[in-house]
């Protein structure tokens, strides 16, 4: 069993200081959180940035300052978000890639976030997806492929048809296949069979997103059991299901993602800090006699190059 990789997603695009005083929104706060989370056992940080009014932003100067400060204070694997904000152009969304991250998120379709009030439409046209994939490809950045429904997988197949996934393979860029339901795993296996993704493959199993697979033990086991025998995977449980999904992932040999992007509470009525959620995952692993990976060990497990 590999050492446990803990990813922290500290900010996201939704929580505000009015929701929890512990969400980091400035470059200094995010860098300080990154440092504290690394001390508690995190190996990867998923970075969103905010403007002066706490609104999500892709402004280069803010992302550059944030990523630079994280790198100066930690050895964490840095993964930037390219998620869309209403009115953003494709160039705006690709701006965080100019910070030269080791990984980046890539969503392959459009989604209605019906669980948010008011509801939000997350628009990703085929042209936008191909533009962002090409931008990542040109910079040798490992993409995190986000799929919220079966239609997103079809967009991923269009990327294959365009030759971009083949180009990633040729340049030894390993994608993370993100699965929100069982059908996404099957599509990942087809990519393996076609020779477009090398084994061992790395999946992310997202449990409990509104519209995705519910976060139950039975569903996680079923998802895990569909994976190729040599695959590695990370489990992200939403809201109060973060703790049970984290515990199951540790026992099953998977990896985990925690943080205020996905869950605001340490327990009912008690607001969490990011480092507390990381520490809880580490303590669970230690109690279950599973070692936790350092950032460099995570790079080896994920097939990434040495730190940039």
């Amino acid at each position: 069993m590999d050492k446990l990789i803990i990813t922290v997603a500290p900010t996201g695009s939704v929580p505000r200081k009015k929701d929890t005083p512990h969400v980091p929104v400035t470059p200094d706060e995010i860098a300080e959180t990154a440092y504290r989370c690394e001390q508690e056992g995190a190996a990867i940080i998923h970075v969103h940035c905010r403007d002066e009014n706490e609104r999500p932003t892709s402004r280069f100067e803010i992302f550059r300052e944030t990523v630079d400060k994280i790198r100066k204070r930690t050895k964490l694997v840095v993964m930037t978000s390219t998620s869309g904000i209403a009115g953003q152009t494709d160039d705006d969304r690709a701006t965080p890639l100019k910070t030269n991250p080791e990984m980046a998120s890539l969503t392959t379709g459009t989604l209605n976030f019906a669980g948010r009030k008011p509801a939000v439409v997350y628009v990703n046209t085929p042209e936008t997806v191909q533009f962002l994939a090409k931008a990542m490809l040109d910079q040798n950045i490992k993409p995190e492929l986000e799929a919220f429904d079966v239609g997103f997988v079809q967009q991923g197949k269009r990327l294959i048809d365009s030759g971009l996934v083949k180009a990633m393979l040729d340049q030894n860029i390993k994608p993370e296949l993100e699965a929100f339901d069982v059908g996404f795993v099957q599509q990942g296996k087809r990519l393996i069979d076609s020779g477009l993704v090398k084994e061992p493959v790395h999946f992310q199993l997202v449990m409990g997103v509104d519209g995705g697979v519910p976060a139950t033990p039975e569903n996680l086991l079923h998802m895990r059991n569909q994976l190729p025998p040599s695959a590695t995977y990370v489990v992200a449980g939403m809201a109060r299901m973060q703790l049970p999904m984290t515990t199951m992932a540790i026992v099953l040999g998977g990896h985990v993602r925690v943080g205020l992007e996905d869950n605001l509470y340490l327990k009912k009525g008690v607001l969490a800090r990011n480092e507390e959620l990381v520490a809880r995952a580490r303590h669970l692993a230690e109690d279950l006699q599973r070692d936790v990976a350092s950032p460099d060990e995570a790079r080896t497990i994920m097939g990434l190059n040495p730190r940039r």
Side-chain angles (χ1 to χ4, degrees), residues 7 9 144 176 178-180 203-209 213-215 220 223 233-239 241-246 249 254-259 261-263:
T7 296
E144 178 187 67
E176 177 176 88
E178 192 164 30
F180 287 74
F203 285 84
Q204 184 179 115
L205 308 181
V206 184
M207 312 297 296
V209 168
V213 65
L220 179 54
M223 294 275 281
Y233 63 96
V234 59
V235 177
M238 300 296 108
M241 297 310 295
Q242 189 171 91
L243 178 57
M245 293 294 102
T246 294
H255 306 288
V256 300
R257 167 172 147 161
V258 298
E261 178 174 343
D262 302 331
N263 168 44

Side-chain angles (χ1 to χ4, degrees), residues 88-124:
Q88 278 197 325
T89 66
D90 292 352
D91 284 320
D92 291 335
R93 293 179 58 173
T95 296
L97 304 180
K98 296 177 183 178
T99 64
N100 196 29
E102 294 174 81
M103 300 179 67
S105 63
L106 177 62
T107 306
T108 57
T110 296
L111 176 72
N112 291 329
F113 279 106
R116 297 184 183 180
K117 303 299 180 185
V120 175
V121 180
Y122 181 19
V123 178
N124 295 282

Side-chain angles (χ1 to χ4, degrees), residues 1 11 20 40 59 73 86 107 123 128 160 170 175 185 200 215 222 224 235-236 238 256 266 283 291:
M1 186 179 292
T11 303
T20 172
E40 295 295 346
R59 283 163 47 189
R73 299 198 62 184
T107 306
V123 178
T128 293
I160 296 170
D170 291 343
V185 175
H222 184 56
R224 192 283 308 265
V235 177
M238 300 296 108
V256 300
L266 192 64
H283 290 315
D291 292 334

